[in-house]
Structures are given as C-alpha cells and as structure tokens.
Amino acid sequence: MRFRITLLAACLALLIPTAAFGQRAASHVLKAEVVLTIQGEVPTPRKLTFDDLAKLPRRSVQTKEPDGSTVVYEGVELAEVLKLAGVTFGEDLKGVRLSTFLLVSAADGLSVVFALPELDSSYTERLIILADRRDGKPLPASEVPLRVIVPDEKRKSRWVKQVTTLSINKGVSTMPKKVKTR
Ligand SMILES: Nc1nc2c(c(=O)[nH]1)N[C@H]1C(S)=C(S)[C@@H](COP(=O)(O)O)O[C@H]1N2
Ligand SMILES: [Mo]
C-alpha cells in the first residue's frame, strides 16, 4: 500500500511539470507558427503568425444566423492584413488597380474572389474581417485558424473557413484612353 502511494506520488511529481511545460511550449509554437501567407502581386509578400496578426486593431462584427440568432465574430480587418504586404487602399485604389482582385484560399482547396473596393472603408461601410474568435471563444475546429466574415452577405458561400492564403492577382485593365466622341 505504502509503495503504491509512493509510486503514485512519484508519477504525479513527474507528470505535473511535464504537462505544464508542454502546454507552454504548445501555445508558444502556435503563436510563432505561420498561419497566413500573402502572395501574388504585392510589394512585400508575407508569411504571418498569430503574433503578427495580434499587432493589428481588433474588430468585431455581429452576424445573423438563418434562425434569427446573432453571432459575434472577432478578429482583424481584412484590408489591414493586406496592408502588411504593402497593398494600398483609399485614394490609391482607382484606375487600372480596380481590375486586380483578391483570392482567399482555404486548407480544403476552396478559393473565393473579392474585389479590392469591397474591403476598402473609403468605398464601403461594410467591414469584412478575418476572424479568430466566435462569441468570445476560439473558432470551432472546422473553421480554424481564420475565417472570412462578410456581414450582411445573405449567402455564406464567401465566408471562407480555414483560410491559409491571400493572393492578389493582376487584372487585365490598361490605362483607359479618352472615349472617342464625334
Ligand atoms: N473552406 C471552406 N469554407 C467554406 C465552405 C467550404 O466548402 N470550404 N463552404 C462555404 C459555404 S457554401 C457556406 S454556406 C458556409 C457554411 O458555413 P456555416 O457552417 O457557418 O453555416 O461556409 C462557407 N465556407
Ligand atoms: Mo453554401
């Protein structure tokens, strides 16, 4: 009996610090791990970790489920993330740049298109975010590490789950010539 208790105590003594260290190590690895790649026609392609994203302002949006209940998603503004790779908005977003587009890709292979003005607060009040929390909790496993939230978009087809990559693609526009008049 005594031996068993000693053995149990020894096991616990060994396990507790190991578990605590494991947890610390795991959360550290998660924060330093690349969660998002920004590539394509951007001035500075980036590989971002959660630590990089944590430096951006937090934004939250309230969305409606089909049954009428509300869900609050929280994360960072998609345009702010693209700015980390040198993508510019506002006054700069006009002319030939209006034919460039963002492709958001997910771990399961889904890729979805957004036009840049859809993300730009100088064009629209709608705030499209890359969320990492839902109703104050981490995203469900089916949506991690990041999900695009498009408030008020009635169909959720572009609410991409498990986002891995943002790529900016060149459009086909050339500088517009003067329209001919007679
Ligand atoms: N990665 C990924 N995201 C995705 C999809 C998908 O197939 N893969 N389906 C989309 C579609 S068509 C819908 S309707 C919504 C469903 O989201 P919900 O489970 O929150 O209702 O997720 C969207 N996001
Ligand atoms: Mo869907």
Side-chain angles (χ1 to χ4, degrees), residues 69-129:
S69 62
T70 57
V71 173
V72 175
Y73 276 98
E74 187 192 309
V76 292
E77 192 176 343
L78 185 48
E80 290 300 318
V81 178
L82 290 169
K83 285 178 191 172
L84 296 177
V87 179
T88 55
F89 293 90
E91 258 309 292
D92 236 34
L93 186 51
K94 61 187 175 193
V96 292
R97 285 199 58 222
L98 290 178
S99 73
T100 63
F101 58 94
L102 167 68
L103 208 58
V104 178
S105 302
D108 63 355
L110 179 72
S111 283
V112 159
V113 162
F114 288 88
L116 296 186
E118 293 186 274
L119 316 174
D120 187 346
S121 60
S122 77
Y123 279 85
T124 176
E125 298 298 332
R126 182 165 77 167
L127 186 65
I128 298 182
I129 70 168

